[in-house]
Amino acid sequence: MNILTKHEHTPLELYYPEMAEITAVNQFTELEKWFEIKLPDGKELGHQPGQFALFSIFGIGEAAISICSAPTKKGAFDICVRKVGMLTEKMHQLEVGQKIGVRGPFGTGFPVNDFKGKDILIIGGGIGIVPLRSLINHVIAYREDFGRIIILYGAKNPDELLFPDELENWDNDPSIEYHVTVDQGTPEWQGNTGVITTLIPGLDLDLDNTIAAIVGPPIMYKFVLMALKSKRLPEDNIYMSLERRMKCGVGKCGHCQINDSYVCLDGPVYQFSDIKNLPEAI
Amino acid sequence: MNKHNLLLQNIPDFVAHLQTYGEVHAPCQKGENSFSFEQVTDPSRVVLDYARTLQSIRKYFLPPTERLLNFSLTDNTFTKVAIENNHRIFLGVHSYDMKAVLKLDFNFSHRTPEINYLKRRENCTFIGVSYEPDDYHFSRSVGITVENTEGFDLFLDRHENGYTVQVLTERGTEITKDFTALGEALEIPEISRQFKNKIKFNYNRLPEVMEQSWNSPVWEEVAQRCVGCGTCNLVCPTCYCFNMVDNVDLKLTDGSRDRHWDGCLLSSFAAVAGGENFREKLASRQRHRIYRKFKYITDKTGDPWCVGCGRCTAYCTAGISIVEIVNRLSDEFEQTHLRKSSAPVGQKIQGVSL
């Protein structure tokens, strides 16, 4: 039998990128830079909040990066990149008008339709706020579809806070409950100090009607989950996004596997109940 | 099913006959005791009595290195790469290696069908051959007999003076019908070849054993001997993990994005930029390899993802045996769980149980 006709779906060319144009940049911190990217012919990326794409520069390679704009933004999308390796270092040198390879979107997003009518508790640590910004902008765009919007954001110090203009908007918006904390304050810092979990005990939550979306460094999840457990938030109401090494983005190369789950296909956004039995998850 | 007889002395002629239908690839002698699938130019070099080739025929469908695209740094553009799919006849494939190809077919067509692999798998003819199991083979333990014909167009079963040729598909008929040296099949009693190397439990019980083996001391013991070289991944016919790397030419004007085989035993496999390594310990990487073969895909498909070829053990630089690992875990399982009335179920993330 012909192997190509045996399959339900047509075999695909999976590894060719689209050459997209950088249309705006903003250096948030020494390490983090924001980019607005436009696909050729005004094509939409067509992503869901929480999904990622693979970005590449020829001669350097490819890496998985979350999309940080909501799908409500048309004609272009945003990413925010921390300089941590060879590719991201090179990306930081890119300027408006230059091109970058894009494959995707890949993976699962936050199931925003299931979130309708619920209170949304968003917990972001460090660059975890980046993928969450896509969800935040979505729930703000469809504000009437959701109950309370509570944003908890933690960073190491005030200089590392990302999206400064938007943080101010969230803070000033009476329909958003925004709480920020830094591990180490500065003389000018007047807000909370302490790790992000210190913001959780004081919350008054409608437990059955609250969805928690968590993104942060691996160490953060364990403590945030314990804090939410003390609050008695049902585990089915908890969603989190996990980071792993990725090469192919399509469930072949094996790098992102957490036990039997491929982060690029089954994640990066998981319902807590789907991963609580995976010992490699956090 | 049609059966014929093929005498040993007619094999070179048979190979030459097959060459009129396409490229013939068959085991050829490399060193004193090593064999490799090669494109046959001289039919007399084909060896059908062999224990195992260093690499399975996986290398034809998922090449050790493969160019995915060519790029130009001068103008920041890329060009696509043509995927070759010449008509190939694989002669002398053992049943476990054929089964391994069928497993890779699943991996490369499941969820996101990949044209690179699947196009190379087109236009292939497979001719199996029986073998005498050695100290390393344990295919029977994972449900694959020496005489298993699944996936083959023809199967050659060895007897004293030659082979009984089973014609299994239309393609098999097509490539044999004009070969006049085939004789009438001999009346030979069917023999089922025996394996000395065995997994002690039926393979369908291994996911259950693995379920209880996450914290077994066996992983640390294996890690004490393992040097993390990744040879087991490199020679495994069902390993398919890969890395993707950009390579630039010396003029720094052009280059290619290539993929090459990677291995979950290598320390960098699950490392991300910024220093986090999600499978930093050798013990956790060995466990991942064994779970990949006997639990993760098995839970989804019902089949083990090991074909019992024995390569990972035969070529291990530290003398680690996959059968020994699985049997040690099975012994532990038997002692700690089968003798208790209520076994704990499932694993919990350490420190968190909501």
Side-chain angles (χ1 to χ4, degrees):
Chain A
M1 195 188 315
N2 187 327
I3 183 88
L4 285 184
T5 54
K6 236 172 74 175
H7 306 289
E8 212 178 313
H9 306 289
T10 319
L12 302 169
E13 291 180 335
L14 299 172
Y15 306 117
Y16 297 131
E18 295 225 55
M19 298 310 291
E21 190 182 329
I22 293 172
T23 46
V25 297
N26 190 355
Q27 186 89 40
F28 284 149
T29 72
E30 196 197 328
L31 288 180
E32 280 100 6
K33 191 167 181 175
W34 171 91
F35 299 87
E36 184 189 66
I37 296 169
K38 203 172 181 169
L39 288 171
D41 311 319
K43 219 176 105 180
E44 298 294 343
L45 185 64
H47 68 292
Q48 289 296 307
Q51 282 192 299
F52 68 94
L54 285 150
F55 294 86
S56 63
I57 295 175
F58 295 131
I60 309 289
E62 211 173 26
I65 293 169
S66 306
I67 311 303
C68 71
S69 54
T72 43
K73 174 166 178 162
K74 297 297 175 198
F77 62 91
D78 306 346
I79 58 174
C80 179
V81 182
R82 174 177 281 182
K83 193 162 67 173
V84 280
M86 279 212 308
L87 179 75
T88 48
E89 175 132 9
K90 194 82 181 167
M91 280 177 82
H92 270 233
Q93 295 165 15
L94 293 176
E95 288 163 14
V96 171
Q98 289 190 289
K99 290 199 168 158
I100 187 164
V102 180
R103 291 198 289 131
F106 296 120
T108 54
F110 290 101
V112 284
N113 285 332
D114 300 345
F115 292 0
K116 281 184 184 167
K118 309 270 188 190
D119 294 346
I120 312 296
L121 168 62
I122 290 163
I123 305 175
I127 50 170
I129 198 68
V130 173
L132 287 171
R133 180 192 178 242
S134 174
L135 176 65
I136 293 170
N137 283 354
H138 176 90
V139 296
I140 291 176
Y142 297 96
R143 184 67 194 86
E144 66 283 6
D145 287 351
F146 302 95
R148 292 164 69 194
I149 296 175
I150 310 161
I151 301 171
L152 310 184
Y153 179 22
K156 277 188 187 147
N157 58 61
D159 292 339
E160 292 194 10
L161 293 167
L162 305 174
F163 308 105
D165 299 344
E166 284 163 66
L167 300 188
E168 212 176 303
N169 292 342
W170 301 342
D171 201 21
N172 294 332
D173 187 336
S175 77
I176 297 172
E177 300 162 51
Y178 170 68
H179 306 281
V180 59
T181 182
V182 295
D183 295 353
Q184 283 181 321
T186 52
E188 304 83 53
W189 178 252
Q190 308 209 323
N192 303 304
T193 52
V195 293
I196 194 159
T197 41
T198 58
L199 299 175
I200 296 173
L203 295 174
D204 182 19
L205 302 175
D206 175 3
L207 294 174
D208 290 330
N209 198 43
T210 300
I211 294 289
I214 316 167
V215 189
I219 184 76
M220 191 192 91
Y221 288 106
K222 199 181 256 188
F223 293 102
V224 167
L225 287 169
M226 284 196 283
L228 293 177
K229 183 192 175 187
S230 325
K231 281 292 216 197
R232 303 191 185 285
L233 187 71
E235 57 182 50
D236 280 347
N237 294 12
I238 299 175
Y239 291 81
M240 44 211 273
S241 175
L242 300 180
E243 181 204 12
R244 285 298 184 276
R245 183 187 177 96
M246 284 183 197
K247 284 291 170 183
C248 72
V250 291
K252 306 290 177 221
C253 80
H255 285 273
C256 70
Q257 222 182 343
I258 296 176
N259 297 101
D260 63 346
S261 180
Y262 279 90
V263 178
C264 67
L265 297 176
D266 308 315
V269 175
Y270 290 93
Q271 196 167 10
F272 178 67
S273 44
D274 289 338
I275 54 167
K276 67 172 179 172
N277 290 330
L278 302 182
E280 289 186 334
I282 55 174
Chain B
M1 180 177 54
N2 271 325
K3 281 190 179 181
H4 307 285
N5 190 41
L6 176 63
L7 294 171
L8 286 181
Q9 72 233 35
N10 291 327
I11 291 203
D13 286 347
F14 182 56
V15 176
H17 174 77
L18 292 175
Q19 284 175 316
T20 63
Y21 293 90
E23 294 173 8
V24 175
H25 296 261
C28 296
Q29 187 120 23
K30 294 292 275 186
E32 189 183 335
N33 208 6
S34 87
F35 303 91
S36 167
F37 269 90
E38 311 263 310
Q39 182 169 354
V40 176
T41 45
D42 173 5
S44 69
R45 284 199 59 221
V46 172
V47 181
L48 292 180
D49 281 315
Y50 70 102
R52 63 178 61 68
T53 51
L54 180 63
Q55 286 297 338
S56 75
I57 51 175
R58 158 185 79 148
K59 66 180 181 181
Y60 290 97
F61 313 120
L62 182 67
T65 61
E66 172 184 358
R67 185 164 287 201
L68 295 174
L69 57 85
N70 293 306
F71 56 76
S72 154
L73 293 178
T74 327
D75 56 8
N76 199 24
T77 55
F78 71 92
T79 51
K80 296 184 175 185
V81 172
I83 302 164
E84 91 290 352
N85 64 346
N86 297 347
H87 200 118
R88 289 180 174 135
I89 298 167
F90 294 96
L91 169 66
V93 178
H94 289 170
S95 53
Y96 52 79
D97 276 347
M98 188 66 239
K99 192 77 183 180
V101 171
L102 301 178
K103 289 180 190 299
L104 291 180
D105 289 353
F106 173 84
N107 296 124
F108 283 94
S109 57
H110 183 57
R111 296 181 83 169
T112 334
E114 192 211 86
I115 191 89
N116 304 55
Y117 173 93
L118 293 170
K119 189 137 192 225
R120 277 194 209 93
R121 268 286 281 111
E122 274 189 318
N123 305 330
C124 290
T125 304
F126 296 99
I127 304 174
V129 70
S130 62
Y131 62 96
E132 291 304 321
D134 69 5
D135 291 347
Y136 296 109
H137 292 112
F138 60 99
S139 300
R140 183 77 215 228
S141 297
V142 285
I144 310 162
T145 60
V146 170
E147 304 82 11
N148 192 320
T149 59
E150 192 185 349
F152 290 125
D153 296 287
L154 296 175
F155 188 77
L156 311 184
D157 201 345
R158 186 82 158 93
H159 60 70
E160 209 178 337
N161 306 312
Y163 294 89
T164 301
V165 181
Q166 293 180 41
V167 181
L168 299 153
T169 62
E170 275 177 35
R171 177 67 181 160
T173 307
E174 188 190 337
I175 59 173
T176 47
K177 65 177 173 14
D178 297 327
F179 185 61
T180 50
L182 287 177
E184 203 171 310
L186 307 176
E187 285 295 326
I188 295 168
E190 272 190 32
I191 46 157
S192 185
R193 293 163 179 94
Q194 299 301 308
F195 288 81
K196 280 175 277 180
N197 199 15
K198 287 178 186 147
I199 290 179
K200 71 178 275 179
F201 280 6
N202 188 306
Y203 64 82
N204 61 22
R205 295 194 59 199
L206 295 177
E208 191 190 350
V209 172
M210 297 302 154
E211 183 80 32
Q212 302 301 337
S213 301
W214 187 260
N215 295 314
S216 166
V218 169
W219 306 121
E220 200 42 61
E221 285 167 37
V222 173
Q224 294 289 327
R225 284 156 66 196
C226 175
V227 294
C229 67
T231 297
C232 47
N233 297 135
L234 281 178
V235 298
C236 178
T238 66
C239 271
Y240 59 95
C241 290
F242 56 83
N243 196 2
M244 286 160 64
V245 175
D246 282 13
N247 290 304
V248 180
D249 67 11
L250 283 176
K251 288 181 288 177
L252 303 178
T253 52
D254 300 282
S256 56
R257 181 159 294 163
D258 304 323
R259 76 163 157 194
H260 57 77
W261 292 350
D262 206 344
C264 59
L265 253 292
L266 302 173
S267 63
S268 61
F269 189 78
V272 293
E276 194 84 33
N277 188 342
F278 294 98
R279 234 172 269 113
E280 197 172 1
K281 290 193 163 160
L282 209 35
S284 63
R285 300 202 293 275
Q286 275 286 0
R287 181 176 58 200
H288 187 68
R289 173 174 81 100
I290 302 296
Y291 273 52
R292 291 269 317 202
K293 300 304 169 196
F294 296 107
K295 174 146 179 68
Y296 296 149
I297 311 180
T298 312
D299 280 342
K300 294 185 167 89
T301 64
D303 284 326
W305 234 243
C306 165
V307 295
C309 67
R311 286 185 179 94
C312 59
T313 307
Y315 300 116
C316 178
T317 50
I320 294 166
S321 154
I322 192 168
V323 168
E324 215 175 287
I325 294 174
V326 173
N327 286 347
R328 289 264 328 265
L329 296 172
S330 302
D331 285 342
E332 266 184 17
F333 176 79
E334 203 167 40
Q335 281 157 21
T336 53
H337 294 284
L338 294 188
R339 291 179 191 172
K340 281 184 197 163
S341 53
S342 60
V345 180
Q347 296 286 340
K348 293 274 180 283
I349 294 172
Q350 283 165 0
V352 184
S353 54
L354 284 186

